[in-house]
Amino acid sequence: MAQEDIFKKLVAHCKEYGYVFQSSEIYDGLGAVYDYGQNGVELKNNIKKYWWDSMVLLHENVVGIDSAIFMHPTIWKASGHVDAFNDPLIDNKDSKKRYRADVLIEEQLAKYEEKMDKEVAKAQKRFGDAFDEKQFRETNPRVLANQEKWNALHQRFSDALNASDLAELKKIIEDEEIVCPISGSRNWTDVRQFNLMFSTEMGSTADGALKIYLRPETAQGIFVNYLNVQKTGRMKIPFGIAQIGKAFRNEIVARQFIFRMREFEQMEMQFFVKPGTELEWFDLWRETRIKWHRALGFGDDNYRFHVHEKLAHYANAAVDVEYKFPFGFKEVEGIHSRTDFDLSQHQKYSGKKIQYFDPELGESYVPYVVETSIGVDRMFLQVVSASYCEEEVESNGKVDTRVVMKLPPVLAPVKLAVMPLVKKDGLPEKAREIIDDLKFDFNCQYDEKDSIGKRYRRQDAIGTPFCVTVDHQTLEDQTVTIRYRDTMEQDRVAISELKNIIADQVSFKKLFAKLK
Ligand code: GAP
């Protein structure tokens, strides 16, 4: 099945099984804003726990905070967001649709790549095992022609972005004959800068209302609390401050479901280090973070690093962790060496000294910062994309399709479903008894409706790793059937063994052991 179709099915599945709903759906929705349903919120909480504990429990020099979303507006002036947190936008005059100019050009680059990949795929089919892809790419005239176009466009695009040359961005769109996907026309407006921050007012107008912003990143809440945490926690450099919280961006192009949202959640950690040591820490955090992703078992080949060639003016190194979504490799997390830019700016704008006295050096300095920043929602999308599966299975001599979310058990919203075989003879009571015993340890679900086969499929669809069936034998010998989601195999086990079997599979401790 084409990746695009799989993605469409995944989005529909997330809605059907209580993972993700369009916000304000009964009012026709609100663009790029989503709500998490009864299963989604459990998965999201488990992802957050995985991140938080791996930062705060596993590192004795990392502590957490929870800062307010509203902050003094000067913070955003100091951080550069008021003046420079912009996207270049362009409108199509016929469809009245708005686009990001840089995204239109990136899509054009992707089209050249697609053309080259198609040539390669065709040749691969033709030559079979004897095919040498490298040689083909270096010699085939059609591939070479497209590569030349790609190189020229890429160079022109980078130059225009580096120079913030909006007129040149428009010229590129015209020269490449890029059309609006809705109207099909090339009737474009000029390119303009568009600030991504949402603003609101605090206080009544009579008092003189203050224009404030909904934070576009959680990081600034950490920077402005650097001194508070360092002093009250008696923290010694190097140390980190972690935070999970909502962030808001008025994205122009909001697409691909929860990949790019206007209200989303970030898990960020700022690590404060001695100037001159930041690149060593950058390398260490980059390795620590990729291990964290890979430990979930979604396949090492599905991750890659994208090293930033063009760095923000305050950064001296930056890399993205990209995951292979059904729509291609895309950024999930950024690791940035932000120098002393943010703390120095807050020192300048607040007039307060933000420094660390290093007892070993006997001098004070503004610490340098290495940041790890990951979107909860993008991580959620990574987990569900990796887990969604359609399998052909045979039952009663018929081939059937089973939809199963092969979520890592530790992240699964519901850990086990307990099902009485029939709704009588004391079986429901026995099933409830088992749940009463296990519900303090695991998220359990009771299900007695429909045939046992249908109940298994319902649990497969939400990714429940264990189904426990209570039958008449249970009443005699205190044993149950446990069915494993991924293999569909079943075992007869004692009720008293259930806790250990499940605990072993859903243990965060076991997952953390892989991070060593
Ligand atoms: N403090 C650094 C920072 O905010 P960023 O690359 O702009 O850096 C970090 O964002 C992460 O936040 C991204 O890697 C992504 O996972 C997530 N993110 C950013 N914008 C998002 C959006 N509109 N919707 C969902 N997640 C987003």
Side-chain angles (χ1 to χ4, degrees), residues 85 216-219 249 251 258-266 268 270 320 331-334 336 338 371 373-379:
F85 194 52
E217 63 172 12
T218 61
R249 295 182 190 177
E251 300 283 359
I258 54 172
F259 183 81
R260 196 176 300 286
M261 302 155 88
R262 296 201 166 102
E263 175 181 338
F264 57 101
E265 214 167 351
Q266 287 185 316
E268 298 201 293
Q270 311 295 320
D320 295 335
E331 173 190 342
V332 179
E333 170 157 11
H336 313 118
R338 293 179 76 130
E371 166 186 77
S373 174
I374 171 168
V376 179
D377 313 270
R378 265 186 212 181
M379 188 59 205

Side-chain angles (χ1 to χ4, degrees), residues 50-293:
Y50 178 39
W51 184 86
W52 184 268
D53 287 357
S54 73
M55 284 292 173
V56 176
L57 289 191
L58 300 195
H59 297 100
E60 65 180 62
N61 58 352
V62 177
V63 294
I65 63 163
D66 182 17
S67 71
I69 288 173
F70 292 153
M71 291 197 269
H72 195 287
T74 310
I75 287 173
W76 304 111
K77 188 77 191 155
S79 68
H81 283 84
V82 170
D83 297 319
F85 194 52
N86 300 319
D87 275 345
L89 72 84
I90 190 164
D91 292 338
N92 182 271
K93 291 181 193 164
D94 299 320
S95 67
K96 310 270 184 272
K97 286 278 171 200
R98 180 163 288 177
Y99 300 91
R100 262 174 67 175
D102 55 335
V103 171
L104 286 179
I105 299 170
E106 276 167 11
E107 283 172 354
Q108 183 71 1
L109 282 166
K111 275 188 190 153
Y112 289 129
E113 283 166 25
E114 254 169 53
K115 281 185 189 166
M116 290 186 272
D117 290 346
K118 266 193 189 148
E119 293 293 340
V120 171
K122 260 198 307 192
Q124 199 151 28
K125 226 175 175 181
R126 208 170 342 124
F127 297 114
D129 288 345
F131 181 62
D132 180 341
E133 182 177 336
K134 188 166 174 285
Q135 193 195 16
F136 182 79
R137 282 187 185 271
E138 284 168 2
T139 52
N140 179 274
R142 279 187 298 272
V143 172
L144 288 176
N146 278 307
Q147 187 62 55
E148 208 171 297
K149 284 184 192 164
W150 188 96
N151 292 346
L153 175 57
H154 188 254
Q155 188 59 50
R156 220 179 140 190
F157 179 42
S158 306
D159 291 348
L161 282 184
N162 283 334
S164 299
D165 189 342
L166 302 183
E168 173 67 356
L169 285 178
K170 180 175 181 191
K171 188 86 183 26
I172 294 174
I173 289 171
E174 287 171 343
D175 292 351
E176 289 287 324
E177 302 185 345
I178 296 174
V179 297
C180 165
I182 307 289
S183 65
S185 87
R186 286 187 244 142
N187 195 5
W188 297 108
T189 63
D190 287 341
V191 178
R192 283 161 292 145
Q193 290 290 21
F194 176 78
N195 193 288
L196 297 184
M197 281 198 294
F198 285 103
S199 64
T200 185
E201 291 189 344
M202 184 176 266
S204 71
T205 358
D207 290 335
L210 191 61
K211 179 178 179 184
I212 55 166
Y213 299 95
L214 273 72
R215 64 181 179 199
E217 63 172 12
T218 61
Q220 298 303 324
I222 295 179
F223 291 127
V224 298
N225 276 296
Y226 161 77
L227 279 181
N228 286 333
V229 175
Q230 194 270 318
K231 294 224 160 85
T232 59
R234 292 179 294 118
M235 307 300 291
K236 292 207 166 46
I237 275 182
F239 75 91
I241 305 179
Q243 161 154 248
I244 299 179
K246 288 273 185 165
F248 305 84
R249 295 182 190 177
N250 197 2
E251 300 283 359
I252 306 165
V253 183
R255 269 182 320 179
Q256 281 147 344
F257 193 35
I258 54 172
F259 183 81
R260 196 176 300 286
M261 302 155 88
R262 296 201 166 102
E263 175 181 338
F264 57 101
E265 214 167 351
Q266 287 185 316
M267 307 188 278
E268 298 201 293
M269 196 275 305
Q270 311 295 320
F271 198 72
F272 301 94
V273 302
K274 191 164 94 183
T277 65
E278 71 278 7
L279 293 180
E280 280 163 49
W281 285 109
F282 174 80
D283 287 343
L284 196 128
W285 278 110
R286 164 190 156 126
E287 289 317 308
T288 306
R289 293 305 304 148
I290 192 78
K291 246 188 205 172
W292 183 89
H293 286 275

